[in-house]
Amino acid sequence: MAHYLVTGGCGFIGSHLADRLLADGHRVTILDDLSTGRLENKPAAARLVVGDVADAAAVREAADAVDGIFHLAAVASVQRSKEAWSDTHRTNMMGTVTVFEAARTAGAGAPVPVVYASSAAVYGDNPVTPLGEDAETRPLSAYGADKLGCELHGRVAWSIHGVPTVGFRFFNVYGPRQDPRSPYSGVISIFAQRIARGRDLDIHGDGEQVRDFVYVGDVVEFLAAAMERRPRGAGIFNLCTGRPTSIAMLASVLEELAGYRVGRIHHPARPGDIRVSIGDPARLRAAFGMGCRTGLLDGLAATLDRVPA
Ligand code: NAD
Ligand code: UD1
């Protein structure tokens, strides 16, 4: 059994990953500054180091003698990256370089692999559908630019320092524990909470914009599988289903699952909103021999079931 560091392990995706690694019998250390993560997300059996992922000493300590690092800590809000450009850059880009640097010597002086979260935000407003990994990257936000920078440093980590890296470009991830409290939270977390409380849904634009929604359980499967393969090189994969779902359709399916309807409040489209964001999962499937397994209905039902009161 292995010992893994999960940065951001008190957050939405990181806590599901920590649960999964522990269930597989591994040891888990979490490094998290609890800025958006929550203590109640931390599995009891995980060791927690409260610290900043851009603080080299804190990362070195948390990564001491681990067999691999899952790097999920980031300021995941695009809006926040607009308001606090250099602060979010420090976490999102410097934090990643700090993790890659610690990975050089984390395994008793030898390099250990890093599996890390990139984002579909690297594609920005590229209108190609579906988006393959070789499509042009043209980020529209500091968040997307930093995620692209992480990928470039991921190549350097391998080519210059011998640290194997695997970056996953997550599309729209959803599932239990996703925080619905900000207006910029994921649409599914907001809709699920509104419907559970019998409240109307805000629809920005005509509702026909489409997204590629990925269930958090599938994300965790690929993260764990990437590490189990003892990666070499510097890989980049879309983590997506390739299936489009419109926002209007999403609202109807959630209502159907809940067994009742709520109203719609229509708003103008959000400035800069992307009309279509669908990934091509071909490279992912070819490399891992599997695709995302959770259908939208099952994933939404699991999410609705676990909306906090
Ligand atoms: P989240 O906010 O729930 O988790 C991020 C975690 O990182 C939190 O626990 C937070 O406290 C921690 N963190 C933030 N800054 C830190 C710092 N300076 N030092 C240490 N810890 C810090 O978000 P999430 O949705 O679970 O996102 C996980 C990863 O996936 C992020 O890298 C995010 O950019 C990426 N991602 C998420 C989505 C999505 O749809 N949720 C899409 C694309 C990419
Ligand atoms: C997502 C990511 C963002 C990333 C971008 C591109 C999240 C929370 N955001 O943004 O980090 O940069 O992909 O990869 O994962 N909507 C409504 N009503 C609501 C909330 C949202 O109609 O109450 C609409 C939005 O206008 C948008 C769609 O739903 O058209 C999806 O919104 P959201 O979940 O915020 O994600 P993205 O905009 O795709």
Side-chain angles (χ1 to χ4, degrees), residues 250-267:
L250 180 67
S252 307
V253 173
L254 279 165
E255 285 178 328
E256 219 165 280
L257 286 167
Y260 51 86
R261 298 182 70 78
V262 296
R264 305 282 188 274
I265 306 168
H266 290 276
H267 304 269

Side-chain angles (χ1 to χ4, degrees), residues 14-292:
S15 64
H16 284 280
L17 175 66
D19 284 344
R20 159 67 193 268
L21 296 172
L22 289 164
D24 286 349
H26 301 302
R27 272 176 65 203
V28 172
T29 294
I30 289 172
L31 175 71
D32 200 300
D33 72 352
L34 300 175
S35 50
T36 56
R38 293 154 156 251
L39 262 186
E40 56 264 37
N41 286 344
K42 184 190 93 66
R47 164 183 171 241
L48 173 64
V49 176
V50 178
D52 178 1
V53 74
D55 172 349
V59 177
R60 264 200 313 274
E61 190 229 306
D64 184 42
V66 298
D67 299 293
I69 303 177
F70 293 94
H71 173 46
L72 297 166
V75 179
S77 159
V78 170
Q79 185 58 26
R80 184 90 191 115
S81 82
K82 292 180 183 159
E83 293 156 4
W85 188 358
S86 53
D87 280 358
T88 58
H89 175 73
R90 182 172 177 279
T91 294
N92 292 352
M93 183 103 159
M94 268 310 296
T96 302
V97 173
T98 305
V99 166
F100 290 152
E101 197 166 38
R104 288 191 303 177
T105 53
V112 299
V114 181
V115 174
Y116 66 97
S118 181
S119 169
V122 301
Y123 295 115
D125 60 358
N126 186 328
V128 167
T129 300
L131 288 155
E133 290 85 349
D134 293 330
E136 187 191 355
T137 49
R138 41 197 235 199
L140 293 173
S141 58
Y143 172 82
D146 281 338
K147 289 293 187 184
L148 186 56
C150 294
E151 294 184 2
L152 298 174
H153 282 282
R155 288 174 58 168
V156 172
W158 169 248
S159 60
I160 307 287
H161 302 289
V163 173
T165 60
V166 182
F168 285 104
R169 292 176 176 171
F170 299 172
F171 279 65
N172 292 58
V173 184
Y174 72 99
R177 293 187 205 151
Q178 190 169 26
D179 191 344
R181 285 173 301 180
S182 133
Y184 297 98
S185 295
V187 62
I188 291 181
S189 66
I190 297 175
F191 280 9
Q193 193 189 55
R194 291 277 182 96
I195 288 178
R197 294 176 177 179
R199 288 171 53 198
D200 296 346
L201 305 179
D202 293 318
I203 304 286
H204 298 282
D206 62 6
E208 293 309 314
Q209 64 271 39
V210 300
R211 295 291 185 272
D212 188 329
F213 291 107
V214 191
Y215 186 63
V216 67
D218 289 324
V219 171
V220 162
E221 283 294 311
F222 283 101
L223 294 172
M227 189 65 85
E228 275 156 22
R229 288 153 36 116
R230 307 308 301 167
R232 294 183 59 74
I236 297 291
F237 299 94
N238 283 339
L239 218 172
C240 62
T241 69
R243 290 189 293 271
T245 304
S246 73
I247 301 309
M249 172 64 74
L250 180 67
S252 307
V253 173
L254 279 165
E255 285 178 328
E256 219 165 280
L257 286 167
Y260 51 86
R261 298 182 70 78
V262 296
R264 305 282 188 274
I265 306 168
H266 290 276
H267 304 269
R270 285 179 174 169
D273 195 44
I274 292 167
R275 188 80 184 153
V276 176
S277 169
I278 301 298
D280 182 348
R283 185 189 285 183
L284 185 75
R285 285 206 186 111
F288 290 87
M290 62 180 184
C292 290

